[in-house]
Amino acid sequence: MLEARRLGKRFSGGREILRDVSLRLGQGESLAVLGPSGCGKTTLLYMLCGLSRPDVGEVLLDGKPVRKGTGDAAIILQDFGLLPWKSVLDNVALGLKIAGIGRAERNERARAGLVEVGLTGRERDWPACLSGGEQQRVAIARAFVMSPRALLLDEPFSSLDAITREKLQATLLAMWRRRGVPYVLVTHSVEEAVYLGGRILLLAGDPAGVADSFDNPGFGSEGYRNSEEYYGLVRQVRAAMEELF
Amino acid sequence: MLEARRLGKRFSGGREILRDVSLRLGQGESLAVLGPSGCGKTTLLYMLCGLSRPDVGEVLLDGKPVRKGTGDAAIILQDFGLLPWKSVLDNVALGLKIAGIGRAERNERARAGLVEVGLTGRERDWPACLSGGEQQRVAIARAFVMSPRALLLDEPFSSLDAITREKLQATLLAMWRRRGVPYVLVTHSVEEAVYLGGRILLLAGDPAGVADSFDNPGFGSEGYRNSEEYYGLVRQVRAAMEELF
Amino acid sequence: GAATIRFGVLPVLDTLPLQVAAREGLFAAKGLNVELVSFMSALERDTAMQTGRLDGYFGDLIATLLLVKTGAPLRVVSIAYESRPDQRMFGLVTSPHKAGLTLGTLSQNSVSISRATIMELLLHRMEAAYAIPAGALVPLEVKKIPIRMQMLLAGEIDLALLPEPLLSLAESKGGTVLATDQNLAMPLTVLCLADRLAADRATLESFLAAYREALRRIAAEPENYRGLMAETGRIPLELRDSFPMYRYLDPRLPTSQEIKDVQDWMLAKGLLAQPIPYARLVPAS
Amino acid sequence: MRSWRSRAAKIGRYLLALLLLGLAWKALAEVLGSSVLPPPEAALAAFSRDALTAAFWRHFGASAFRAVSAMLLAWLIAFPLGILMGGSRRIDALLSPFVSLTYPIPKIVLLPIFLLLLGLGDASKIAMIALILAYQILVTTRDGVRGVHHKHIDSVTSLGAGKLRVFLDVLLPAALPHGFTALRLGTGVSVAVLFFVESFATQTGLGYLIIDSWGSLDYLRMFSGIFGMSLLGVLLYEGTDLLERLVCAWRYQGRR
Amino acid sequence: MRSWRSRAAKIGRYLLALLLLGLAWKALAEVLGSSVLPPPEAALAAFSRDALTAAFWRHFGASAFRAVSAMLLAWLIAFPLGILMGGSRRIDALLSPFVSLTYPIPKIVLLPIFLLLLGLGDASKIAMIALILAYQILVTTRDGVRGVHHKHIDSVTSLGAGKLRVFLDVLLPAALPHGFTALRLGTGVSVAVLFFVESFATQTGLGYLIIDSWGSLDYLRMFSGIFGMSLLGVLLYEGTDLLERLVCAWRYQGRR
Ligand SMILES: Nc1ncnc2c1ncn2[C@@H]1O[C@H](COP(=O)(O)OP(=O)(O)OP(=O)(O)O)[C@@H](O)[C@H]1O
Ligand SMILES: Nc1ncnc2c1ncn2[C@@H]1O[C@H](COP(=O)(O)OP(=O)(O)OP(=O)(O)O)[C@@H](O)[C@H]1O
Ligand SMILES: [Mg+2]
Ligand SMILES: [Mg+2]
């Protein structure tokens, strides 16, 4: 259970970015966050996983303040955050290594993760030799091979072609079904938000706050993307966005 | 007129990435390139603007071999390529400065460019203080304020929310109409490719080549995105992709 | 065997008897275990002495007095070299580029020395002995002797006060020797031992006996020691064969007057605040 | 600009460091109990006395002048050269052998050549310090520029930049932090070399003061000189820091 | 691994550099006259002669031993400390004053303390070189680590890394290139310091050889020593380069 209580954040320059943002995400739930570029979505995720401290409010994970350096809330960073001095395999295995898992097991799991994102055979390459989308897939694999208590995804599929993207959306859903890990997905695609978010949050304003939210009980199911419900919600969200942004 | 003749490229590791890629792009034309992640789209753009040399074949701009360091073919890089040590304004004005335009004029034009991408008031910030989407918009402004003979865009709108993205697509089209600068757009969005590409190229294979291509004479016009023709082509391209990728 | 006596030496001619005594086992024959520790400059030797890493050393009287002033437990056990009319050890030499200079025509000519050492005292004594008017020589500090030598040969400085064998070398390159230490009648360098060694009669006697034996051997067969002298006294290649074999006087203690002469100069220079009693400087009799 | 509070904190930490160094010194002096290490309070007393004399500040000024001129000179030559070598594999391949062959030569042995060419005055002293510094600035800058991410160069090249503009807009700013590192290194090196070059043909400078007092075993005066060197070093070091904060402001951004 | 061809090209460039240096030397020797600079061909002839003697290689070996031990020692201490200071503002704020206060002290004046504590043997010589190197390694490494992009730390922290793992997985690899820069700098510095520390209580080492021959104005032998130093320096320098290429392979990737 991930809970944010009335978060507020301003940067050293003095600009207030976020004000009064609250959210709750129970086991087996999911949340999609939409918002205009620069409104503070990444900042919000940073606070949710403890990488950045809110100036106001608090973030609780299973009732306890979230702390950085625990790996409890794994995040896929918008800029991937791969370490240039580690091979692709080592980058994927990094979270497992930190969790104390032995070399043989973590390499095996990392290899499986790479297969899942379609990067078989690239284990020994350096991140600098990968294309943008390949780097993003390594970052996805790195988060997916872990067993966090919450998963935070910052525009995780933004650099992928439609086919790969759909495959990995399915992978995310499968993982979520299997383990019930709640996730927060930041995305710019309304379609993606409606397909993957059990609840959809619109951030907007200056400072940004939760401007609107939509419940989406049918999300992620088999044929959802061809349903009337899906198209309706997409249209509804888009209309709200056009008004707000 | 930008022309690529039977380009081939392999990286030092020995992997052959592209083989036999040819394209022609006359004044006032445009091209959208789609292809699976890691197929070589960025590599192709690098060769088109002379940043990277093809192992086989040649690239001609108005009949002469394209050379790097001329600014003739401006590119929006996938990873933005902002200079961390220059303010937002100076980053946008950089191309103009290199073209030898005086400070007053280039700052004015850069400021106008920033207004166009919605970053008024951020002139003096450092790139490191910008969100991902804001950085991308700075990169867009930087390319748009220049007057290149061809424009190469590598997933230029990937980090933008739908509203901003549509606004900037319109800006691109307006510029193209005004100046007739031919552009090559790499994107992962089929909708975007069909809306903006006068011709759509599908790269695929290993090594990748032009696997399919579609003419799209109606692209970019007012109501195109609501037309049957548009939907039809989107479906057609998607079907081809599903087969190829 | 006996505890090692580490004895600091410099690469100069005056140390030949010590080198002979060490190489030929003369110290060992007297039951002493003397190890010569070589230093390139007085500064480091003094520091080693002061930090108790040496049990004795070879050096000039000025350094010795300064060391004793700062509390180093040290006694002069013998003079190593004193000026003598038949042999020169130091001299004032002109640059080859200023070969025409004579004592009479000196006027504001630069002379390079090194301050607070025997060099400065020697210059002072030479000025007196040769009646060089005040102001005729302008001292210029150059600590490193090789640099001093090179600047002299290149004509960057007019004169230099140099020890042998560099003096002869400068002369061979066209410099003129204007003054030497030959008639100054003063002790120049001394041998010192730590208090505890100097206070031990037997050790002191053995040390001096070995030293005397070395002197005897050098005097008996000087040419046998040419190679050793050239090596340890750093005689330039071109002088190696022509250079005279040095002769050394029998060991003796400096007199209280000789010490007083040096101390007076040091007091005047501010190097000493008050005189050190003679009894503090030589072994208790 | 940082606040007065943070500046006061900095001064506080300096005082703390001084105190701890003093204590360590005191302990060492007690244990060693040797005349080579006077007790800190005596050295401090002597320093306070000397620091009120004009002579001391003449020494200080002479050394400061030599060190700062040498740093400027070395920087003007070596920094651009370092950028060139770091920025171009070709230039680097050609010039590197010169650096690695001549860098290890103890520059001191070249002193006579300097003296001949430049005379006995300040020029040869400054040139000697500058030579030693220049190597360090060169190596640091070159290695730093080598690490510049290629995407920055690509980005500027794609905008039409030729070699000159790549130099000015990418390599130069990217090299600046490394240039400052080199300057910081240089403060210590130039002070160390001062100690050497002030041993000839001068009677001014802190180096002279130290060697002269060491030679006459006047340890209190020697420590005055050392304090002076340390003061000079801190001023140069903090000056470099300040300059870096002004010039490389972009480096201190972007944390969340 | 690079090809034989590129290695041959490198050797070729070294030979070219040697040739040009020789020509410059020759010209300088002509101008200055041989009182300070022997003609290069004579020096080379003398070197070839000396290089065949065991004595020369004993000197070389003694110096190499001292330099390499000192570099290792300095690196083991200063590199981790530099990473800590570069990685933590708090540690840096606390320790920086110590560095900037003591760095400018000419370390030579600490000789008495070294002699007191470590005696006249190799230990004090190595410690002296190591001390001087350590400061440089510390400053270079710290400044380098300060420049690590925060996103790398964020990335590892978000995976659950505590301070230790951030140190091992981010700061350490990010610091490595700077550590190598420091080592490269160190080759020159340690050789220069050798020249100083081999002037006492030893009769081996290239520094000793140089000073000893300088003292007797035996320039040919002196230049043999200098050639030896240069050779030692080149070996250390290229060794560092090689090591860096092995350890920091990721830096040589990603160009198009
Ligand atoms: N420096 C390099 N060395 C080796 N391989 C490289 C290098 N740069 C890129 N590649 C490989 O070349 C292929 C094409 O890369 P490119 O960046 O052109 O892909 P892309 O089509 O732009 O992909 P994306 O959609 O993910 O941006 C990728 O498989 C990548 O791993
Ligand atoms: N270190 C910083 N200093 C000052 N302002 C910052 C800093 N980091 C981010 N900002 C500002 O905070 C705002 C929110 O940034 P954030 O990265 O959270 O946006 P975002 O919603 O993720 O945008 P995008 O969709 O473009 O990724 C932006 O306007 C950005 O300029
Ligand atoms: Mg973001
Ligand atoms: Mg790409």
Side-chain angles (χ1 to χ4, degrees):
Chain A
M1 157 82 125
L2 183 67
E3 193 179 355
R5 291 192 184 151
R6 315 200 59 166
L7 301 183
K9 180 81 186 174
R10 60 169 72 240
F11 277 110
S12 39
R15 245 181 84 218
E16 191 177 359
I17 305 296
L18 290 172
R19 184 187 290 176
D20 218 4
V21 177
S22 300
L23 56 85
R24 287 173 68 102
L25 192 67
Q27 190 66 9
E29 295 186 340
S30 87
L31 185 75
V33 178
L34 287 163
S37 163
C39 74
K41 305 177 292 301
T42 297
T43 308
L44 176 62
L45 289 197
Y46 262 68
M47 292 191 294
L48 288 182
C49 69
L51 276 179
S52 154
R53 221 175 301 183
D55 297 322
V56 184
E58 56 179 349
V59 178
L60 302 177
L61 184 64
D62 294 334
K64 274 179 290 193
V66 76
R67 283 187 307 121
K68 73 173 174 183
T70 59
D72 286 341
I75 186 168
I76 297 180
L77 296 170
Q78 188 170 5
D79 52 10
F80 319 144
L82 303 185
L83 301 182
W85 42 80
K86 285 192 184 292
S87 70
V88 165
L89 187 73
D90 289 345
N91 263 291
V92 175
L94 188 57
L96 303 173
K97 180 176 167 195
I98 289 169
I101 291 167
R103 174 182 296 272
E105 185 187 342
R106 70 175 185 253
N107 278 358
E108 190 185 317
R109 280 168 67 179
R111 243 179 270 274
L114 282 172
V115 171
E116 220 157 356
V117 298
L119 285 174
T120 334
R122 305 300 294 270
E123 289 85 1
R124 296 257 63 89
D125 284 357
W126 299 110
C129 293
L130 299 186
S131 79
E134 288 166 346
Q135 290 180 28
Q136 190 163 45
R137 285 182 277 157
V138 174
I140 294 171
R142 186 167 81 171
F144 281 14
V145 298
M146 293 180 66
S147 327
R149 288 196 279 160
L151 196 55
L152 310 173
L153 306 99
D154 200 355
E155 308 184 24
F157 310 125
S158 60
S159 304
L160 301 178
D161 61 282
I163 315 286
T164 311
R165 173 191 278 243
E166 277 165 29
K167 226 194 90 217
L168 289 175
Q169 289 172 343
T171 309
L172 172 64
L173 281 172
M175 207 179 81
W176 168 79
R177 272 196 211 96
R178 201 160 3 116
R179 308 199 212 138
V181 187
Y183 61 82
V184 179
L185 169 81
V186 166
T187 178
H188 283 310
S189 156
V190 181
E191 289 80 5
E192 188 168 271
V194 174
Y195 182 50
L196 295 177
R199 202 175 155 73
I200 297 155
L201 238 55
L202 290 193
L203 285 189
D206 188 7
V210 179
D212 209 342
S213 82
F214 304 84
D215 274 321
N216 183 24
F219 85 100
S221 58
E222 246 343 81
Y224 188 53
R225 261 194 295 205
N226 295 317
S227 69
E228 255 322 299
E229 200 191 333
Y230 170 80
Y231 283 116
L233 192 53
V234 167
R235 261 194 305 274
Q236 205 182 329
V237 171
R238 192 179 285 276
M241 273 169 62
E242 246 143 54
E243 198 155 297
L244 284 167
F245 292 7
Chain B
M1 157 81 126
L2 183 67
E3 193 179 352
R5 290 192 185 151
R6 314 199 61 167
L7 303 182
K9 179 83 186 172
R10 61 169 72 238
F11 278 111
S12 40
R15 246 182 82 219
E16 190 177 0
I17 304 294
L18 291 171
R19 184 187 289 177
D20 218 6
V21 176
S22 299
L23 56 86
R24 286 174 69 102
L25 193 67
Q27 192 65 10
E29 294 186 342
S30 86
L31 185 75
V33 178
L34 286 163
S37 163
C39 74
K41 303 176 295 299
T42 298
T43 307
L44 176 62
L45 289 197
Y46 261 69
M47 292 191 294
L48 288 181
C49 69
L51 276 180
S52 154
R53 221 174 301 182
D55 297 321
V56 183
E58 54 178 351
V59 178
L60 302 175
L61 184 63
D62 294 334
K64 275 177 293 193
V66 76
R67 283 188 306 120
K68 73 173 176 182
T70 58
D72 287 340
I75 186 168
I76 297 180
L77 296 170
Q78 188 170 6
D79 52 10
F80 320 144
L82 304 184
L83 301 182
W85 42 80
K86 285 191 184 291
S87 69
V88 164
L89 186 73
D90 289 345
N91 263 293
V92 175
L94 187 57
L96 303 172
K97 180 175 166 195
I98 289 169
I101 291 167
R103 175 183 295 273
E105 186 189 340
R106 71 175 185 253
N107 278 358
E108 190 185 316
R109 281 168 66 179
R111 243 180 270 274
L114 281 172
V115 172
E116 222 158 353
V117 298
L119 285 175
T120 336
R122 305 298 295 269
E123 289 87 359
R124 297 256 62 88
D125 283 357
W126 298 111
C129 294
L130 300 186
S131 80
E134 287 166 345
Q135 289 179 29
Q136 190 165 43
R137 284 183 276 157
V138 174
I140 294 172
R142 186 167 81 171
F144 280 15
V145 297
M146 292 181 67
S147 327
R149 289 196 279 159
L151 197 55
L152 310 174
L153 306 99
D154 200 354
E155 306 184 25
F157 310 125
S158 61
S159 304
L160 302 178
D161 60 282
I163 316 287
T164 311
R165 173 190 276 243
E166 277 165 28
K167 225 192 91 218
L168 289 175
Q169 288 173 342
T171 309
L172 172 64
L173 281 172
M175 207 180 80
W176 169 80
R177 273 194 210 96
R178 204 160 1 119
R179 308 198 213 139
V181 189
Y183 62 82
V184 179
L185 170 80
V186 166
T187 179
H188 282 310
S189 155
V190 181
E191 288 80 6
E192 188 167 271
V194 174
Y195 182 50
L196 294 176
R199 201 176 156 72
I200 296 156
L201 237 56
L202 290 194
L203 286 188
D206 187 9
V210 180
D212 208 344
S213 82
F214 305 83
D215 276 321
N216 184 24
F219 84 98
S221 58
E222 247 343 83
Y224 187 53
R225 261 194 295 204
N226 296 318
S227 69
E228 254 322 298
E229 199 190 335
Y230 170 80
Y231 283 116
L233 193 54
V234 167
R235 260 195 304 274
Q236 205 182 330
V237 171
R238 193 179 286 275
M241 273 169 61
E242 246 144 54
E243 200 154 298
L244 284 166
F245 293 7
Chain C
T4 308
I5 300 176
R6 282 159 308 171
F7 201 91
V9 293
L10 296 175
V12 294
L13 293 172
D14 326 25
T15 60
L16 181 62
L18 288 169
Q19 300 283 3
V20 170
R23 298 246 177 153
E24 304 201 340
L26 305 181
F27 288 124
K30 295 288 174 194
L32 297 179
N33 182 7
V34 175
E35 178 197 336
L36 298 185
V37 183
S38 72
F39 289 85
M40 291 295 180
S41 80
L43 193 68
E44 291 133 19
R45 177 207 58 200
D46 292 352
T47 305
M49 187 69 226
Q50 227 169 356
T51 51
R53 292 291 167 184
L54 294 178
D55 308 301
Y57 87 124
F58 158 90
D60 66 40
L61 258 179
I62 295 181
T64 306
L65 286 164
L66 286 171
L67 278 171
V68 172
K69 175 186 83 169
T70 57
L74 197 67
R75 304 277 162 162
V76 177
V77 297
S78 171
I79 292 176
Y81 188 87
E82 61 185 298
S83 59
R84 48 193 282 176
D86 60 344
Q87 187 169 279
R88 71 182 185 199
M89 187 57 96
F90 289 93
L92 185 64
V93 62
T94 71
S95 160
H97 300 259
K98 294 275 159 62
L101 272 182
T102 62
L103 281 177
T105 57
L106 289 178
S107 109
Q108 298 230 320
N109 287 110
S110 56
V111 53
S112 86
I113 56 157
S114 130
R115 268 166 44 87
T117 63
I118 190 76
M119 298 288 179
E120 196 180 5
L121 173 58
L122 276 168
L123 184 66
H124 180 75
R125 291 283 157 85
M126 286 179 192
E127 282 176 327
Y130 290 83
I132 301 170
L137 290 175
V138 184
L140 185 70
E141 168 95 8
V142 178
K143 288 253 181 248
K144 295 244 179 302
I145 290 197
I147 296 179
R148 206 183 299 169
M149 180 73 191
Q150 286 173 313
M151 290 305 96
L152 182 80
L153 292 184
E156 285 289 312
I157 47 182
D158 303 336
L159 303 116
L161 191 59
L162 292 173
E164 286 290 4
L166 295 179
L167 184 62
S168 295
L169 185 65
E171 199 175 20
S172 76
K173 304 252 175 191
T176 316
V177 175
L178 297 187
T180 71
D181 64 326
Q182 274 154 294
N183 293 311
L184 296 181
M186 58 190 282
L188 294 170
T189 50
V190 291
L191 306 177
C192 301
L193 283 177
D195 275 0
R196 68 191 151 75
L197 295 174
D200 176 11
R201 227 180 175 98
T203 304
L204 182 58
E205 283 308 325
S206 307
F207 185 85
L208 291 175
Y211 190 76
R212 270 192 210 98
E213 173 59 14
L215 291 181
R216 199 192 58 72
R217 291 191 181 188
I218 296 171
E221 303 271 6
E223 285 306 319
N224 278 359
Y225 298 101
R226 178 166 292 282
L228 187 60
M229 180 177 79
E231 181 196 326
T232 58
R234 291 210 292 213
I235 299 177
L237 272 181
E238 54 234 82
L239 299 180
R240 248 170 224 196
D241 300 325
S242 58
F243 202 69
M245 277 307 298
Y246 263 59
R247 280 152 306 189
Y248 303 89
L249 286 180
D250 268 352
R252 71 165 175 92
L253 285 176
T255 64
S256 71
Q257 183 57 45
E258 283 167 339
I259 297 235
K260 182 175 181 305
D261 287 346
V262 176
Q263 289 215 36
D264 285 346
W265 177 78
M266 290 177 73
L267 287 164
K269 275 274 158 191
L271 290 171
L272 281 184
Q274 65 226 11
I276 299 167
Y278 181 67
R280 173 66 197 82
L281 290 165
V282 295
S285 45
Chain D
M1 283 295 84
R2 280 163 312 148
S3 70
W4 286 108
R5 243 190 86 184
S6 85
R7 237 171 257 173
K10 180 166 211 167
I11 292 174
R13 284 191 301 264
Y14 262 107
L15 291 178
L16 181 70
L18 278 174
L19 186 72
L20 289 177
L21 286 173
L23 286 177
W25 179 352
K26 180 78 191 167
L28 201 62
E30 288 291 330
V31 171
L32 298 179
S34 164
S35 58
V36 293
L37 195 63
E41 62 277 12
L44 201 63
F47 176 64
S48 338
R49 207 171 339 98
D50 287 351
L52 295 176
T53 64
F56 178 84
W57 293 105
R58 237 184 350 265
H59 287 305
F60 189 91
S63 286
F65 168 73
R66 289 167 188 150
V68 171
S69 323
M71 283 168 85
L72 277 179
L73 182 65
W75 217 71
L76 284 179
I77 296 169
F79 185 64
L81 200 61
I83 300 180
L84 280 181
M85 288 175 69
S88 153
R89 272 160 192 270
R90 198 133 26 105
I91 299 180
D92 190 38
L94 274 178
L95 296 186
S96 260
F98 288 91
V99 176
S100 62
L101 281 169
T102 56
Y103 179 44
I105 296 174
K107 302 298 170 300
I108 291 318
V109 302
L110 302 180
L111 187 62
I113 298 172
F114 277 79
L115 294 179
L116 279 190
L117 294 175
L118 298 170
L120 291 173
D122 270 357
S124 54
K125 293 183 176 58
I126 291 172
M128 180 59 100
I129 306 176
L131 178 70
I132 296 175
L133 285 183
Y135 275 96
Q136 300 221 332
I137 297 174
L138 183 73
V139 171
T140 315
T141 309
R142 183 199 51 184
D143 284 12
V145 171
R146 270 189 194 163
V148 172
H149 207 295
H150 212 255
K151 76 176 177 192
H152 296 313
I153 297 174
D154 283 352
S155 144
V156 177
T157 308
S158 75
L159 293 169
K163 298 204 162 162
L164 178 68
R165 289 244 66 95
V166 167
F167 182 93
L168 291 177
D169 287 324
V170 180
L171 302 180
L172 183 68
L176 271 177
H178 305 282
F180 280 108
T181 299
L183 268 192
R184 255 190 293 266
L185 286 179
T187 60
V189 173
S190 55
V191 158
V193 184
L194 268 182
F195 177 81
F196 176 81
V197 294
E198 289 181 344
S199 75
F200 63 84
T202 182
Q203 302 214 32
T204 56
L206 294 168
Y208 170 78
L209 184 65
I210 295 175
I211 309 172
D212 191 53
S213 359
W214 195 359
S216 47
L217 304 185
D218 183 348
Y219 287 106
L220 290 177
R221 186 153 158 267
M222 172 165 150
F223 271 94
S224 277
I226 295 177
F227 283 143
M229 284 274 192
S230 196
L231 181 63
L232 177 59
V234 170
L235 289 180
L236 292 175
Y237 196 96
E238 290 291 330
T240 308
D241 253 20
L242 197 70
L243 207 64
E244 176 169 11
R245 266 171 203 284
L246 287 177
V247 176
C248 300
W250 54 273
R251 286 192 92 199
Y252 302 94
Q253 293 296 329
R255 303 213 170 190
R256 292 184 186 260
Chain E
M1 283 294 85
R2 281 164 311 149
S3 70
W4 285 109
R5 243 190 87 182
S6 85
R7 240 172 251 173
K10 180 165 212 169
I11 292 173
R13 287 191 300 265
Y14 262 106
L15 291 178
L16 181 71
L18 278 173
L19 185 72
L20 289 177
L21 286 172
L23 287 177
W25 178 354
K26 180 79 192 165
L28 202 63
E30 288 291 329
V31 173
L32 294 180
S34 68
S35 67
V36 295
L37 200 60
E41 61 278 11
L44 200 63
F47 176 64
S48 337
R49 206 170 343 97
D50 287 353
L52 295 175
T53 64
F56 179 85
W57 294 106
R58 238 186 346 267
H59 289 304
F60 189 92
S63 287
F65 168 72
R66 288 167 188 151
V68 171
S69 325
M71 283 168 85
L72 277 180
L73 182 64
W75 218 69
L76 285 179
I77 295 169
F79 185 63
L81 201 59
I83 300 180
L84 280 182
M85 287 175 70
S88 153
R89 274 159 192 268
R90 199 133 25 105
I91 298 180
D92 189 37
L94 274 177
L95 296 186
S96 260
F98 288 91
V99 176
S100 62
L101 282 168
T102 56
Y103 179 44
I105 296 173
K107 302 299 168 299
I108 293 314
V109 303
L110 301 181
L111 184 67
I113 298 171
F114 279 84
L115 292 184
L116 271 176
L117 295 175
L118 298 171
L120 289 171
D122 271 357
S124 56
K125 295 182 176 58
I126 292 172
M128 176 65 89
I129 307 175
L131 179 70
I132 295 175
L133 286 183
Y135 274 96
Q136 300 220 332
I137 297 173
L138 183 72
V139 171
T140 315
T141 309
R142 183 199 52 183
D143 284 12
V145 171
R146 270 189 193 162
V148 172
H149 207 295
H150 211 255
K151 75 176 177 193
H152 296 312
I153 297 175
D154 283 353
S155 144
V156 177
T157 309
S158 76
L159 293 170
K163 296 201 166 169
L164 178 67
R165 290 244 66 96
V166 167
F167 183 93
L168 291 177
D169 288 324
V170 180
L171 303 181
L172 183 68
L176 271 177
H178 305 283
F180 279 108
T181 299
L183 268 192
R184 255 191 292 267
L185 287 179
T187 59
V189 173
S190 55
V191 157
V193 183
L194 269 182
F195 178 81
F196 174 81
V197 295
E198 290 182 344
S199 73
F200 63 85
T202 182
Q203 304 213 35
T204 56
L206 294 167
Y208 169 80
L209 183 65
I210 296 175
I211 310 173
D212 190 52
S213 3
W214 199 5
S216 57
L217 298 172
D218 183 349
Y219 292 117
L220 293 179
R221 187 155 158 266
M222 170 166 152
F223 271 92
S224 277
I226 295 178
F227 282 142
M229 284 273 193
S230 198
L231 182 63
L232 177 57
V234 170
L235 289 180
L236 292 176
Y237 196 96
E238 290 291 331
T240 307
D241 253 20
L242 197 70
L243 207 62
E244 176 169 11
R245 265 169 205 285
L246 287 177
V247 176
C248 301
W250 53 274
R251 286 193 91 199
Y252 303 93
Q253 292 296 330
R255 304 211 168 190
R256 288 180 190 266

